[in-house]
mmCIF file of all heavy atoms in Angstrom:
data_model
loop_
_atom_site.group_PDB
_atom_site.id
_atom_site.type_symbol
_atom_site.label_atom_id
_atom_site.label_comp_id
_atom_site.label_asym_id
_atom_site.label_seq_id
_atom_site.Cartn_x
_atom_site.Cartn_y
_atom_site.Cartn_z
ATOM 1 N N LEU A 44 111.517 125.128 96.080
ATOM 2 C CA LEU A 44 110.979 124.261 97.116
ATOM 3 C C LEU A 44 111.563 124.630 98.472
ATOM 4 O O LEU A 44 112.699 125.088 98.565
ATOM 5 C CB LEU A 44 111.313 122.801 96.790
ATOM 6 C CG LEU A 44 110.761 122.275 95.460
ATOM 7 C CD1 LEU A 44 111.292 120.883 95.191
ATOM 8 C CD2 LEU A 44 109.240 122.296 95.447
ATOM 9 N N HIS A 52 112.856 116.396 106.320
ATOM 10 C CA HIS A 52 112.353 115.175 106.955
ATOM 11 C C HIS A 52 111.282 114.533 106.076
ATOM 12 O O HIS A 52 111.255 113.307 105.900
ATOM 13 C CB HIS A 52 111.792 115.505 108.335
ATOM 14 C CG HIS A 52 111.211 114.327 109.042
ATOM 15 N ND1 HIS A 52 111.967 113.245 109.468
ATOM 16 C CD2 HIS A 52 109.925 114.040 109.395
ATOM 17 C CE1 HIS A 52 111.177 112.347 110.042
ATOM 18 N NE2 HIS A 52 109.938 112.808 110.003
ATOM 19 N N PHE A 78 101.278 123.975 93.125
ATOM 20 C CA PHE A 78 99.951 124.450 92.772
ATOM 21 C C PHE A 78 99.198 124.932 94.018
ATOM 22 O O PHE A 78 98.499 125.962 93.979
ATOM 23 C CB PHE A 78 99.147 123.361 92.063
ATOM 24 C CG PHE A 78 99.641 123.011 90.699
ATOM 25 C CD1 PHE A 78 99.663 121.690 90.265
ATOM 26 C CD2 PHE A 78 100.098 123.990 89.833
ATOM 27 C CE1 PHE A 78 100.121 121.363 88.992
ATOM 28 C CE2 PHE A 78 100.563 123.672 88.557
ATOM 29 C CZ PHE A 78 100.567 122.352 88.137
ATOM 30 N N LEU A 123 100.049 108.340 108.858
ATOM 31 C CA LEU A 123 101.480 108.369 108.583
ATOM 32 C C LEU A 123 102.053 109.749 108.867
ATOM 33 O O LEU A 123 103.110 109.873 109.491
ATOM 34 C CB LEU A 123 101.733 107.973 107.126
ATOM 35 C CG LEU A 123 103.182 107.982 106.660
ATOM 36 C CD1 LEU A 123 103.424 106.852 105.652
ATOM 37 C CD2 LEU A 123 103.580 109.310 106.027
ATOM 38 N N HIS A 149 91.677 114.729 97.754
ATOM 39 C CA HIS A 149 91.210 114.088 96.527
ATOM 40 C C HIS A 149 89.710 114.260 96.291
ATOM 41 O O HIS A 149 89.168 113.673 95.354
ATOM 42 C CB HIS A 149 91.554 112.592 96.545
ATOM 43 C CG HIS A 149 92.983 112.326 96.216
ATOM 44 N ND1 HIS A 149 93.575 111.091 96.406
ATOM 45 C CD2 HIS A 149 93.960 113.115 95.708
ATOM 46 C CE1 HIS A 149 94.843 111.142 96.028
ATOM 47 N NE2 HIS A 149 95.092 112.365 95.619
ATOM 48 N N PRO A 159 90.393 127.142 103.954
ATOM 49 C CA PRO A 159 90.916 127.558 102.646
ATOM 50 C C PRO A 159 92.229 126.875 102.283
ATOM 51 O O PRO A 159 92.512 126.660 101.105
ATOM 52 C CB PRO A 159 91.085 129.075 102.797
ATOM 53 C CG PRO A 159 91.095 129.339 104.265
ATOM 54 C CD PRO A 159 90.260 128.268 104.891
#
Side-chain angles (χ1 to χ4, degrees):
L44 300 174
H52 178 66
F78 291 140
L123 179 145
H149 282 168

